[in-house]
Structures are given as structure tokens and as C-alpha cells.
Amino acid sequence: MKTVVIYNSQTGFTKRYAGWIAKAAGADCFALSDVKEKSLSEYEAIIFGGWAFGGSIHKIGWFKNNLDKWTDKRLIVFCVGASPIENPEVAKALSQNFNELKLKNVKLFYCPGGLNYEKMPLPSKLMMKMFIKTLKAKKEKTKQEREMINMLSKSYDISDKKYIEPILQCLKSQ
């Protein structure tokens, strides 16, 4: 099956996952900026990867705007974020990116990546610092909030190839 992986990455985690998926699936792989004007008609499966941005998948609008053209394609979306895969908020946040009808046609996955403050653009870095400051200022913090403060206060990498397995299985089984 001719497959393409298209990704939008801010600090490299989504690009890494896109490369792993493309290599394992024998797929073409392109940054979103390089594929926006290309025809994807030759592909039977389209996999889009974006990074988590305030509960949304960054640049998911591009993918959603093309859904009507891709009714005959196998469609998979993966989101890469800073939360561990066990975080119960992840599934809820991801499902908010699609309405129920569109979610039936698109398989959705999450891959934990991490934070890389060194590669993060200044506006994103400031937003993260403000979020951490707000959490720290809270008088009575939950255990989860204390863990979040500790985790988000520095760069870290929790990405792992094992998280692409469900995506590859979905691609094979469709």
C-alpha cells in the first residue's frame, strides 16, 4: 500500500516519530511545509503527525480541510505531546480535534515526546513558563500538579519507537 507520512514539528519530536513510522512502513515522508501544494492522489494511506498545542493538534486544520478529497484513503493522525501516555487527559484532548462523524474515518493515536526548551520558539517557551508559574502559585496543589511542575520545569525526552507499533498495526489491519 502506497503510504505517505506528513508531519508538522516544532522541536523535533514529531519529526522523529514521522521518520520512524515512514521507515517501518516503507512510506514517503514529508514536512507539512513541503507538501501543502502537492497532490496526494497516488497514496492509498495518509498519516499526519502534529504536536500537541493546548489540547489541539497543531496544524490539524490542514488535514481536516482535505478530508473531503480523501474519502477513498486510509487516514491516520498521530499527535506528539509532553504528557506520558498514561495521562488520562490525553484521550479526551485528542478526541476534541474531530467530531464523531470524522473520527469514524480517521484513526487517532498519541505518542509521548517531551519538551526541548533549547529548540522551542520564544513565544512557546514563555507560554510554558507562565503555565508553570501559575501552577507553582497555586496554594493547595494536587499530587498530579506537583508532578507536572517538576516534569515541565526542564527539557526531557520520553519518546520511544514502541509507541509507533499501534499505528503500524492499524495501517496493516485497515
Side-chain angles (χ1 to χ4, degrees), residues 14-109:
T14 308
K15 181 179 181 179
R16 180 186 300 159
Y17 274 108
W20 287 341
I21 294 165
K23 185 174 181 182
D28 292 334
C29 188
F30 302 105
L32 177 59
S33 59
D34 295 334
V35 80
K36 280 187 176 180
E37 304 303 319
K38 285 186 181 186
S39 168
L40 301 175
S41 60
E42 68 185 277
Y43 296 100
E44 298 166 273
I46 299 172
I47 302 172
F48 176 77
W51 49 279
F53 181 74
S56 295
I57 302 170
H58 198 258
K59 299 289 184 179
I60 194 65
W62 171 83
F63 183 85
K64 289 164 67 170
N65 289 339
N66 285 290
L67 285 176
D68 291 340
K69 291 189 259 180
W70 299 336
T71 56
D72 62 332
K73 311 272 184 215
R74 295 180 184 178
L75 303 173
I76 297 173
V77 170
F78 70 96
C79 177
V80 179
S83 292
I85 202 160
E86 304 83 21
N87 185 333
E89 299 297 314
V90 168
K92 185 169 67 170
L94 285 181
S95 66
Q96 293 174 358
N97 286 274
F98 292 93
N99 65 35
E100 262 187 61
L101 180 64
K102 290 187 175 167
L103 198 53
K104 287 180 183 175
N105 300 324
V106 177
K107 303 300 180 199
L108 194 53
F109 296 91

